[in-house]
């Protein structure tokens, strides 16, 4: 009975053309094997858009697949009562190349013959494997549009590539019209173009990785802004709760300011993130097309599509990003505390109005230039004057430091009077010492700093170098990262990664963004409990990060040199003389 009511095709999966296995039904009403539709959608995961292979209706997000139990029961009954039809798994589908010899419903072709210019299924291809005359024919995986493989003038197979005219030709064309031209076999030209294709793929893959890194940095900057905003709102409210009713309005204004600036930063950052994600998706699509072209066995198809797919990449609307973020809300907190100390003056009738200027979070340069993200301090122009310090102010606190050989890791070599350390592949024969770092490429200075103000400058060449200070009790024998500068509660460090920096203490990271600079100034005010890191450029210094704490014992400056490129020309960190740096710059400027 079932065979009279239902046909076998009604219960076939449109993808594999077999009887449905674990059938599911999409929202558009079409049914598939669960495994088939999952494989289809897995291939489009990178786009985030999923479509029905039959009607092309799209779904976002990816639908959850559930087994159609009713349809599964019907299919099982059909299997038990239905007839056994021909092997439908061999029938040609809409996207398959069909056999040119089959009559009636065509089977799917498995090979195409470039000599016969025809495609054959598994049955009709057998003569090409058995007949001696046909064995000399050139077979390739089944491909359509075989007429495009013929010369329009001579109706001969295109086997030659004319480099002069950049076109595929037949042997007759090569012997006549193109005889004086530079011609090679299609296989030879394919091999050369394949190399160019690989270079183009690597270029796109590198671009994808660059954009992913930029997206990651932008997300980290956004999270830093959010965390700082939440923290400062909480601190500001705590201070304002201690004030009298007359300054309630001021508390509200400052709180609203922080929220408004956070919202502005979030809105613009999310816009950049969206553009980056769109560009990454487009690059991935282009890369997929190049990969598909790279893997085709059809030389002619490859050559005919190579030029269009390997055209130069268009300049994106969104340039490279250099994140420059120094988010701090200390100005608001300090200003509010000062207001609290002067409440009596306010009560005597002095009119005080705190106005907060709008803060610029993102500054865009013209397209083809870099994006600079400037995250200024959340703070008021009239609340507190911005810190204005020149490099000359710090030079009077300059201190002479020397590296301690008893702490140097065996891969670190000291020179220039123990004021320079270099990371090398060969080890140094240092004697055993309890202060030596056995597993981390670190070294400390001899001098312990306490009860005073000190300033020193460092030049480094390695990306990933850490500049910091530590108590004497830091672990030196641990194999894991617990002995690294900033990875514990006994040390503070700044890790330098080109245009990004990470301030670290007790493994808590604070991302900072600024110009790529290889000279860092460090200012320690031991009694005030501040440790500040500055980017140094001639007589100008830019604050990168400041730690605020209470120091309980002497601090020893130290350095970590990453071992990722010991064969480079200069893998070093140097303690330099600030005065010499300044004098050289002044001399150069004159």
């Amino acid at each position: 009975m079932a065979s009279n009511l239902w046909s076998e095709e009604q219960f076939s999966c449109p993808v594999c053309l077999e009887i449905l296995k674990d059938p599911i039904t999409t929202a558009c009403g079409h049914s598939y094997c669960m495994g088939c539709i999952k494989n289809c959608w897995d291939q489009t995961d990178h786009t985030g858009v999923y479509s029905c292979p039959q009607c092309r209706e799209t779904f976002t997000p990816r639908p959850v697949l559930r087994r159609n139990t009713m349809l599964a029961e019907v299919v099982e009954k059909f299997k038990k009562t239905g007839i056994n039809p021909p092997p439908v798994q061999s029938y040609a589908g809409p996207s398959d190349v069909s056999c040119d010899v089959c009559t009636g419903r065509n089977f799917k072709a498995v090979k195409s013959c470039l000599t016969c210019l025809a495609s054959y299924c598994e049955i009709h291809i057998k003569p090409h494997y058995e007949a001696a005359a046909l064995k000399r024919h050139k077979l390739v995986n089944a491909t359509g549009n075989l007429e495009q493989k013929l010369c329009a003038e001579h109706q001969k197979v295109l086997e030659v590539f004319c480099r002069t005219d950049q076109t595929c030709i037949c042997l007759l064309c090569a012997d006549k019209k193109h005889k004086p031209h530079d011609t090679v076999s299609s296989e030879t030209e394919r091999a050369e173009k394949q190399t160019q294709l690989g270079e183009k793929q690597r270029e796109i893959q590198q671009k994808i990785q660059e954009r992913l890194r930029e997206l990651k940095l932008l997300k980290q900057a956004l999270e830093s802004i959010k965390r700082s905003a939440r923290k400062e709102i909480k601190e500001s409210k705590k201070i304002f709760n201690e004030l009298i009713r007359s300054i309630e309005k001021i508390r509200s204004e400052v709180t609203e300011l922080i929220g408004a600036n956070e919202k502005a930063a979030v809105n613009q950052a999310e816009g950049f993130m969206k553009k980056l994600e769109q560009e990454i998706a487009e690059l991935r699509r282009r890369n997929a097309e190049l990969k598909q072209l790279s893997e085709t066995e059809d030389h002619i198809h490859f050559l005919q599509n190579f030029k269009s797919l390997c055209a130069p990449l268009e300049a994106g609307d969104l340039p490279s990003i250099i994140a420059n973020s120094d988010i701090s809300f200390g100005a608001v907190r300090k200003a509010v505390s000062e207001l609290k100390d002067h409440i009596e003056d306010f009560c005597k009738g002095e009119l005080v109005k705190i106005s907060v200027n709008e803060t610029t979070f993102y500054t865009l340069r013209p397209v083809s230039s870099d994006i600079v993200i400037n995250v200024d301090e959340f703070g008021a122009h009239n609340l507190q004057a911005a810190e204005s310090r020149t490099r000359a102010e710090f030079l009077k606190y300059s201190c002479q430091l020397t590296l301690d050989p008893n702490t140097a890791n065996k891969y670190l070599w000291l020179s220039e009077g123990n004021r320079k350390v270099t990371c090398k592949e060969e080890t140094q024969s240092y004697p055993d010492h309890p202060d030596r770092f056995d597993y981390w490429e670190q070294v400390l200075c001899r001098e312990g700093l306490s009860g005073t103000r000190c300033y020193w400058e460092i030049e480094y060449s390695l990306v990933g170098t850490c500049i910091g200070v530590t108590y004497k009790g830091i672990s030196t024998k641990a194999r894991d990262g617990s002995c690294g500068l900033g990875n514990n509660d006994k040390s503070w460090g700044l890790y330098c990664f080109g245009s990004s920096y990470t301030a670290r203490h007790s493994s808590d990271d604070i991302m900072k963004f600024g110009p790529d600079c290889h000279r860092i100034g460090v200012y320690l005010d031991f009694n005030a409990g501040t440790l500040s890191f500055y980017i140094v450029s001639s007589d100008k210094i830019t604050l990168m990060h400041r730690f605020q704490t209470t120091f309980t014992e002497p601090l020893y400056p130290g350095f970590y040199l990453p071992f990722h490129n010991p064969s480079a020309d200069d893998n070093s960190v140097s303690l330099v003389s600030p005065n010499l740096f300044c004098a050289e710059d002044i001399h150069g400027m004159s």
Side-chain angles (χ1 to χ4, degrees):
M1 292 293 294
S3 59
N4 294 328
L5 296 174
W6 299 321
S7 68
E8 194 267 351
E9 293 180 2
Q10 289 177 284
F11 300 103
S12 299
C13 172
V15 176
C16 67
L17 301 179
E18 296 185 28
I19 296 295
L20 289 166
K21 300 174 183 177
D22 291 326
I24 62 96
T25 303
T26 59
C28 57
H30 295 104
S31 299
Y32 303 89
C33 298
M34 173 130 1
C36 292
I37 194 65
K38 284 179 67 176
N39 290 336
C40 287
W41 286 351
D42 286 345
Q43 296 175 13
T44 59
D45 254 343
H46 64 282
T47 65
V49 178
Y50 309 89
S51 62
C52 172
Q54 284 191 277
C55 67
R56 299 301 176 186
E57 181 175 344
T58 59
F59 312 100
T60 304
R62 179 169 177 165
V64 177
L65 300 177
R66 291 186 175 88
R67 188 169 183 265
N68 188 330
T69 54
M70 180 177 293
L71 180 57
E73 292 175 0
V74 174
V75 170
E76 288 301 317
K77 290 181 179 179
F78 175 82
K79 288 180 179 179
K80 294 177 180 179
T81 59
I83 60 174
N84 294 322
V88 296
Q89 64 271 17
S90 298
Y91 289 145
S95 60
D96 295 324
V97 178
S98 60
C99 177
D100 293 324
V101 181
C102 290
T103 58
R105 184 177 179 184
N106 291 30
F107 285 93
K108 181 169 61 176
V110 294
K111 292 289 181 179
S112 294
C113 178
L114 297 183
T115 306
C116 303
L117 289 179
S119 299
Y120 303 96
C121 63
E122 292 181 354
I123 296 175
H124 294 113
I125 193 62
K126 289 182 178 180
H128 277 76
Y129 296 137
E130 298 170 355
L134 297 179
K135 287 182 180 180
R136 293 191 293 269
H137 289 193
K138 186 171 184 179
L139 298 177
V140 297
N141 289 335
T143 180
N145 301 320
L146 289 173
E147 63 276 3
Q148 294 183 3
K149 312 300 185 292
L150 288 178
C151 172
E153 181 178 355
H154 303 107
Q155 294 300 303
K156 298 293 184 181
V157 177
L158 300 174
E159 300 180 75
V160 181
F161 186 79
C162 177
R163 289 177 170 173
T164 305
D165 294 338
Q166 290 292 300
T167 185
C168 297
I169 58 176
C170 69
L171 290 174
L172 289 177
C173 290
D175 190 50
K176 294 181 180 180
K177 183 178 179 181
H178 295 264
K179 187 171 184 179
H181 293 179
D182 181 11
T183 59
V184 295
S185 68
S186 59
E187 290 84 355
T188 301
E189 185 66 14
R190 163 67 186 269
E192 183 175 325
K193 289 291 194 296
Q194 184 76 32
T195 302
Q196 299 177 23
L197 183 68
E199 294 174 354
K200 181 61 67 174
Q201 283 184 286
R202 287 191 291 272
E203 177 186 345
I204 291 181
Q205 290 168 355
Q206 182 180 2
K207 194 70 173 178
I208 291 174
Q209 294 304 316
E210 290 175 357
R211 287 310 195 195
L212 287 173
R213 284 194 295 269
E214 292 164 359
L215 181 61
K216 180 180 179 181
L217 288 176
L218 194 56
K219 288 180 178 179
Q220 290 173 340
L222 179 58
E223 287 303 315
S224 177
I225 293 169
K226 290 181 178 180
R227 286 195 304 268
S228 298
R230 290 192 295 266
K231 177 181 177 181
E232 293 308 319
I233 290 176
K234 180 180 178 180
E235 293 297 325
S236 296
K237 287 183 178 180
K238 180 179 179 181
I239 295 174
F240 276 116
N241 286 334
E242 299 172 1
L243 298 179
I244 62 174
R245 186 179 303 175
S246 61
I247 60 170
E248 284 290 331
K249 183 178 179 180
I250 300 175
R251 179 183 65 175
S252 176
E253 290 176 353
V254 174
T255 302
E256 291 175 359
L257 163 75
I258 296 174
N261 282 328
E262 180 193 8
K263 182 178 180 181
V266 171
N267 288 342
Q268 294 209 26
E270 288 177 344
F272 294 152
M273 289 164 57
K274 182 177 180 181
K275 289 183 179 180
L276 281 172
E277 290 169 345
Q278 291 173 347
E279 184 171 340
I280 290 170
E282 175 60 23
L283 288 170
R284 283 175 170 162
R285 182 195 64 77
R286 182 77 172 270
N287 187 51
E289 292 179 351
L290 289 175
K291 180 180 179 183
Q292 182 179 2
L293 182 63
S294 172
E295 295 174 350
T296 181
E297 295 183 10
D298 187 342
H299 304 314
I300 303 304
H301 174 75
F302 177 92
L303 295 172
Q304 290 174 338
N305 290 275
F306 173 85
K307 185 175 182 180
S308 61
L309 289 181
C310 289
L313 295 174
E314 297 181 1
D317 294 332
L318 188 64
S320 299
I321 292 180
I322 299 177
N324 180 12
S325 164
D326 185 13
I327 181 69
S328 173
F329 302 83
V332 172
R333 193 190 313 173
K334 183 176 180 181
V336 174
S337 298
E338 291 176 351
L339 287 178
K340 177 185 175 183
D341 296 336
H342 294 85
I343 290 177
E344 291 184 0
D345 293 337
F346 280 83
C347 295
K348 291 179 180 178
E350 181 179 346
L351 180 61
V352 177
K353 181 178 181 181
I354 300 177
S355 60
V356 185
N357 291 346
E358 182 178 356
T359 302
T360 301
F361 281 82
Y362 299 92
T363 303
L364 291 180
R365 294 179 183 175
V367 174
S368 80
S369 184
D370 291 333
I371 294 178
V372 178
I373 303 179
N374 293 319
V375 183
D376 299 331
E377 287 195 357
F378 276 21
H381 178 73
N382 294 330
L383 276 173
Q384 181 184 19
E387 177 183 339
S388 177
R389 307 289 293 273
T390 64
R391 183 166 173 268
E393 294 181 60
F394 292 97
L395 295 182
K396 59 186 177 182
Y397 302 112
S398 295
C399 61
Q400 291 296 318
L401 301 174
T402 55
L403 301 171
D404 185 357
N406 290 332
T407 65
N409 178 268
K410 61 183 178 181
Y411 289 103
L412 301 183
W413 293 62
L414 306 186
S415 59
E416 298 182 6
N418 290 345
R419 289 181 57 81
K420 180 177 181 180
V421 55
T422 304
C423 185
K424 298 185 178 182
E425 287 184 302
E426 57 271 22
T427 60
Q428 181 73 283
S429 57
Y430 292 122
D432 292 338
H433 196 279
D435 294 339
R436 189 174 313 285
F437 289 97
D438 288 346
Y439 301 101
W440 274 66
E441 291 77 34
Q442 293 186 153
V443 62
L444 303 181
C445 291
R446 293 179 182 272
E447 296 77 14
L449 308 176
S450 64
T452 184
R453 299 179 184 179
C454 300
Y455 178 74
W456 62 98
E457 290 183 354
I458 302 96
E459 284 187 348
Y460 70 95
S461 59
L462 277 173
V463 173
T465 295
C466 179
I467 300 163
V469 299
T470 180
Y471 294 146
K472 196 68 172 179
I474 188 174
S475 171
T476 59
K477 308 303 179 184
R479 291 177 177 268
D480 58 16
S482 61
C483 62
L485 291 173
N487 289 348
N488 47 73
D489 59 0
K490 297 181 181 296
S491 61
W492 296 259
L494 182 74
Y495 286 80
C496 306
F497 301 96
S499 59
S500 66
Y501 303 81
T502 299
R504 182 176 297 173
H505 173 61
S506 295
S507 297
D508 291 334
D509 291 348
I510 301 175
M511 294 296 298
K512 298 287 179 175
F513 306 92
D516 187 356
C517 177
H518 291 276
R519 179 171 282 216
I520 300 296
V522 185
Y523 175 64
L524 170 67
D525 188 338
F526 189 93
N527 294 332
T530 61
L531 176 67
S532 306
F533 294 89
Y534 294 88
I535 291 177
V536 181
S537 175
S538 185
D539 60 342
K540 299 178 182 179
I541 61 173
T542 303
L543 178 64
M544 178 52 61
H545 182 72
R546 175 179 293 126
F547 289 104
Q548 181 71 57
T549 185
T550 300
F551 298 120
T552 58
E553 53 184 285
L555 294 168
Y556 292 82
F559 311 102
Y560 163 72
L561 285 71
F563 194 70
H564 56 70
N565 190 18
S567 60
D569 294 336
D570 187 15
N571 297 335
S572 64
V573 173
S574 299
L575 290 159
V576 295
S577 170
N579 293 320
L580 287 177
F581 181 82
C582 187
E584 290 172 359
D585 282 353
I586 293 174
H587 181 268
M589 291 171 65
S590 63

